[in-house]
Amino acid sequence: PRFAIARLDSGLDGFISVANVTDYRIEAVSDELAPGQAVVAVVKRIDFEKMSLDLSMRQSDIDEALRRTTASMPDPSLVDKYFDFDTEAALRERAKALKQKSSARMRTIPHPLFKPLNSREAEQYLASRPRGDCVIRPSSRGTDHIAITWKVAEGLFQHIDVQERDKPNDAALGSTFLVGDSAYTDLDELVAFHVDPIARKLEEVKRNPKFYDPETDPLYSAQPMATVLGVNDYSDEYRSRRQDLWESRTARHLDTLAQSTGRGSYCISLSLLKPGSLVLAFKPTPTYAGIMKWTARVEPNEFKLGEKGRYPDINGLINGFKRMQT
């Protein structure tokens, strides 16, 4: 094609002819541009009747526009001394962040798990699906990130930030994907060797006798969660009510165990505050007021507790936790 159509933040359409893409000659705009790519351009002409713009991406035109802008800056003595430059800078940063977020939402990733959803929409989409299911979605961090949301348990979802590397342009998919210190060469590998192993690790935890789920405790079988907490509207208020409920039930569970055995008690639960992690709760003695808690991170091939504790399975994690108490 000999021209490209760009959509501005204002909603207006801008036209970029092949002659205004670069300072050197190209045969087609597709030589330099891809659908969905974010670009920097200057306005060359405004068509008021059609409410459209002619744009130029040529570096020479951009440099000239910047030169004119700098040259036309007012004399500092004429600038309002009460003007709030900090607020203006904050507003500019906010506008930049919103632009990045908008650009990310417009992305289309060629993968069967991709859904153009934000984090809350992803949770709602996965709510009725089996544990372990996931979606790949745009990230609010910008076009060099994507996110993976997966269902940890009923009403509990982990959002994994994935950084893309080696991108030919903003719209294209990177060829390397980073999650923390781990690198993957494609999305299938990322799901198979990062998300799925974590899901299997958590299923291993749930089969352990020391695992405790406050929402399935038989003691509260006559109190349905929908009645106790209300409908899950995915709000911060609902999450706060749920967290308070989990903490109170866990404390009562450990207190009951300690009173019945005459010694300290502990249990392992999923973490509401850090989905995809575990909480190890401990009551040292039957008379101890309250409970002590530690968070264990779940990695694809191990559990991590503290700075140095690394364990290949749940029994190793429990033994390491016990050694910490002695």
Side-chain angles (χ1 to χ4, degrees):
R2 303 292 293 175
F3 68 91
I5 300 176
R7 176 61 56 86
L8 279 67
D9 290 342
S10 63
L12 293 176
D13 287 333
F15 295 85
I16 308 174
S17 72
V18 67
N20 286 325
V21 175
T22 66
D23 284 314
Y24 51 87
R25 181 181 176 81
I26 60 175
E27 295 299 324
V29 293
S30 57
D31 292 344
E32 296 289 331
L33 298 176
Q37 179 179 347
V39 300
V40 176
V42 296
V43 177
K44 299 284 287 184
R45 187 178 71 88
I46 303 175
D47 188 326
F48 290 99
E49 291 185 1
K50 296 181 180 179
M51 291 298 292
S52 63
L53 310 169
D54 286 346
L55 306 175
S56 173
M57 293 171 48
R58 294 172 55 164
Q59 190 61 49
S60 58
D61 289 335
I62 294 173
D63 292 343
E64 176 63 17
L66 291 173
R67 187 192 65 78
R68 290 183 179 181
T69 301
T70 303
S72 62
M73 289 293 289
D75 187 326
S77 63
L78 302 177
V79 176
D80 184 354
K81 64 180 180 179
Y82 297 107
F83 186 79
D84 192 337
F85 288 98
D86 291 338
T87 300
E88 182 194 35
L91 290 173
R92 287 183 182 275
E93 286 299 316
R94 182 181 178 186
K96 181 180 178 181
L98 289 173
K99 184 177 180 180
Q100 287 183 334
K101 195 171 184 179
S102 176
S103 298
R105 286 296 301 274
M106 293 172 62
R107 291 189 70 186
T108 299
I109 297 174
H111 193 278
L113 293 178
F114 174 76
K115 301 290 181 184
L117 308 172
N118 60 30
S119 58
R120 179 172 294 188
E121 292 168 344
E123 292 182 2
Q124 293 171 338
Y125 170 79
L126 291 169
S128 60
R129 302 187 70 83
R131 291 198 309 266
D133 273 17
C134 69
V135 295
I136 300 170
R137 60 181 181 82
S139 170
S140 60
R141 292 176 178 263
T143 54
D144 59 346
H145 288 254
I146 56 174
I148 295 181
T149 299
W150 73 280
K151 184 174 181 178
V152 178
E154 293 303 320
L156 187 61
F157 309 89
Q158 182 181 23
H159 303 285
I160 301 174
D161 175 53
V162 181
Q163 186 177 3
E164 299 175 70
R165 291 285 179 85
D166 306 321
K167 292 168 64 72
N169 56 64
D170 286 344
L173 195 62
S175 59
T176 303
F177 304 91
L178 303 179
V179 181
D181 297 329
S182 301
Y184 304 93
T185 57
D186 60 48
L187 294 177
D188 289 329
E189 182 184 52
L190 195 161
V191 172
F193 292 99
H194 190 91
V195 180
D196 290 348
I198 291 178
R200 289 194 293 270
K201 282 288 184 188
L202 290 177
E203 290 301 318
E204 175 191 347
V205 172
K206 293 174 185 177
R207 293 191 295 268
N208 189 277
K210 285 298 182 178
F211 178 72
Y212 177 67
D213 184 348
E215 296 185 0
T216 60
D217 188 333
L219 183 64
Y220 307 100
S221 59
Q223 304 175 33
M225 295 304 298
T227 302
V228 177
L229 294 177
V231 177
N232 185 358
D233 58 359
Y234 300 89
S235 65
D236 292 338
E237 290 78 8
Y238 179 89
R239 291 188 176 93
S240 178
R241 294 196 304 271
R242 193 181 185 192
Q243 178 67 28
D244 291 343
L245 179 75
W246 278 39
E247 290 183 356
S248 63
R249 289 187 176 183
T250 300
R252 181 175 178 179
H253 173 69
L254 292 180
D255 185 61
T256 300
L257 287 178
Q259 296 299 331
S260 64
T261 61
R263 58 177 185 270
S265 58
Y266 71 94
C267 67
I268 305 171
S269 300
L270 300 177
S271 173
L272 279 181
L273 297 179
K274 296 181 179 180
S277 297
L278 301 172
V279 173
L280 293 94
F282 177 51
K283 186 178 181 70
T285 67
T287 57
Y288 184 84
I291 58 175
M292 304 167 67
K293 293 186 293 185
W294 289 262
T295 298
R297 301 188 303 280
V298 183
E299 300 291 342
N301 299 310
E302 62 186 358
F303 298 97
K304 292 183 177 180
L305 182 62
E307 293 298 323
K308 298 181 180 179
R310 305 178 71 166
Y311 310 98
D313 53 38
I314 184 60
N315 290 325
L317 174 64
I318 291 174
N319 290 333
F321 171 69
K322 289 180 177 179
R323 285 195 293 271
M324 288 176 59
Q325 312 315 316
T326 58

